[in-house]
Amino acid sequence: MFPAAKPAIGPAIDDGFYYDFDMDSPFTPEDLTAIEKKMSEIIKKNNPFVRKNIPKKDAIDLFKKMGEDYKVELISEIADEEMSIYEEGGFVDLCRGPHVFSTGAIKAFKLLSIAGAYWRGNEKNKMLQRIYGTAYDSKEKLKEHLDFLEEVKKRDHRKLGKELDLFSVSEDIGPGLILWHPNGAIIRKTIEDFWRDEHYKADYKLLYSPHIAKLNLWQKSGHLDFYRENMYSPMEIEGVDYELKPMNCPFHISVYKSSLRSYREFPVRYAELGTVYRYERSGVLHGLLRVRGFTQDDAHIFCREDQMEDEILNILDFTLFILKTFGFDSYDVYLSTRPEKYVGTQENWEKATNALRQALEKKGLSYQVDPGEGVFYGPKIDIKIKDSLNRYWQCSTIQVDFNNPERFDINFRGSDGKDHRPIMIHRALMGSLERFFGVLIEHYAGIFPLWLAPVQIGIITIAERHSDYALGIARSLKAEGLRVETNLENEKIGHKIREATIRKVPYLVIIGDKEIAEGKLTVRKRSGENIGPFTVEEFTGVIKSEIKNKK
Ligand code: ZN
């Protein structure tokens, strides 16, 4: 159908597949319909897929002859001496397989979307045309998946972010840099207040640190060696190079080192909502989920070796408590072990990995081992939370670090009067506030629980003569620390209710003659259900207890 199209790469992905083609012009939605029709014809023919293993040299010759430069490039980079190709009805493709035996096995499929994609994801390469699709062995399963995709689209945090006026990204500011609008900012403040309060209760000490530091610091920390491609170019201040911070760790270490530490004050727990800047290619930036500047809910714990396991247990409890507050009580847990490139001794790696493993087992958390996926400086636990659409998101991480205590030569005075190296643990619960907020928006579908809702109570009037009374109610609710908005506009009541419903305001108080005469409030919940009548004091009590319980 498209003789000039050069097939590039076309892998299976989690919930379907895509295929990139080099084309002169992009595919259109009409093209997809036509391709689907052709696919149905091929499926009907029930053509077999025939696998052949051929020597690498022959594979290169074959695809060269076909003019398929992308395949030739791919083959030349594969180390194997033999390549597998699949043939179907005269179409030959390079593929590792496996395949279904014949086209008739495909019972249901759908081409979903078109997108531009750079060859190998690199913006310096040519832009290719990508087709996304999916296939199932039954029509029912396909429908279920399409319904799910519809729900995902409805909940897209970029769409809801606009509708609910939560945040934006501006071309003037730069891609991947988030502007928190008042509605988003009040949610963030509520999350931060909760986070700080709980950290104080859990014996953490809070820190603030600057956004830049001397380039030398990042040399010392090892980031320039291990992390340079994620860092921005240095800037010069009075002849000295400075660098935007990609991590908070060295700052916390500096605070630790600012005085002599004794075993008596251990464990030392420093926490910070620390903003970091990391380079991401513009092609992978995505709303709040992949950004260039974000705030980590970071903490660093310095402890003795014999305290390590208890600390990890504490962190696990703390993490699960925080996540549960946001309605996440299912997760996948991963234990990542020593990678090929690492620092520290094998013995220390063993000890730390065991401490992480034992903490998980004591908590009765089932986990999977990710062999070799640890960070170069130590093993880690990662927690992926499951949202209300059963999607998993990587947020929390707990990492043991042998590198920084050595590099920065940090010590504590032990009970023996001698200096010892502490164990350092890095951990983040929500990960990045930006990303976590994106996940929350989609998890709640924008219907934030009362304690997080930007506007908690909307007060609307039936007629103009009710305005003064409504303002009085608003004042007393605001005085109780509640987030209240009044709508006194001269509009039909139905219109005002609709407007508040679109904005997902949890409670609506409607003021008319009856309410004023009786001195009682009838309250309409976001679901449409009416509760009450309440006196103002009763209503305040109901709301405040719901907020206290983080509902
Ligand atoms: Zn750290």
Side-chain angles (χ1 to χ4, degrees), residues 1-189:
M1 295 171 74
F2 303 87
K6 279 187 203 261
I9 199 160
I13 51 177
D14 272 356
D15 51 8
F17 59 87
Y18 68 78
Y19 215 126
D20 289 346
F21 299 93
D22 185 351
M23 304 264 293
D24 288 337
S25 60
F27 291 107
T28 64
E30 292 73 41
D31 289 339
L32 290 198
T33 313
I35 297 169
E36 280 183 336
K37 203 168 149 237
K38 189 80 184 172
M39 288 169 79
S40 296
E41 285 167 22
I42 296 170
I43 288 171
K44 226 184 213 151
K45 284 186 195 153
N46 198 18
N47 287 338
F49 287 102
V50 182
R51 181 188 171 111
K52 273 190 199 148
N53 290 341
I54 60 173
K56 185 172 180 170
K57 199 178 104 346
D58 294 0
I60 291 179
D61 288 347
L62 174 71
F63 285 100
K64 236 184 210 158
K65 221 170 12 182
M66 286 157 61
E68 293 199 10
D69 318 330
Y70 294 96
K71 302 290 178 190
V72 174
E73 187 178 328
L74 287 173
I75 297 168
S76 58
E77 285 169 21
I78 300 173
D80 305 351
E81 274 315 299
E82 214 173 49
M83 298 292 130
S84 60
I85 56 168
Y86 281 85
E87 282 179 28
E88 175 278 315
F91 176 67
V92 181
D93 203 359
L94 175 74
C95 187
R96 206 169 252 135
H99 275 212
V100 288
F101 295 114
S102 65
T103 59
I106 303 158
K107 298 298 179 202
F109 72 93
K110 176 106 187 112
L111 296 184
L112 297 167
S113 57
I114 0 181
Y118 294 108
W119 169 236
R120 320 212 107 165
N122 185 340
E123 62 280 357
K124 287 185 188 113
N125 290 340
K126 190 166 183 190
M127 169 81 84
L128 306 175
Q129 302 305 323
R130 175 172 298 179
I131 296 178
Y132 281 102
T134 193
Y136 282 87
D137 59 9
S138 80
K139 292 213 157 55
E140 292 71 33
K141 281 190 203 155
L142 174 65
K143 183 177 181 303
E144 213 173 271
H145 182 67
L146 295 179
D147 289 347
F148 165 78
L149 290 182
E150 200 53 42
E151 190 58 38
V152 167
K153 217 193 253 171
K154 258 197 273 176
R155 289 173 182 239
D156 189 317
H157 72 281
R158 293 165 300 178
K159 176 175 160 282
L160 286 171
K162 202 169 205 173
E163 285 169 17
L164 302 173
D165 198 13
L166 301 171
F167 73 93
S168 65
V169 181
S170 156
E171 271 309 311
D172 297 338
I173 307 292
L177 301 168
I178 304 300
L179 295 165
W180 295 70
H181 294 204
N183 287 338
I186 190 70
I187 296 178
R188 172 164 170 170
K189 184 211 174 265

Side-chain angles (χ1 to χ4, degrees), residues 249 298 300 426:
C249 334
D298 210 355
H300 296 93
H426 311 242

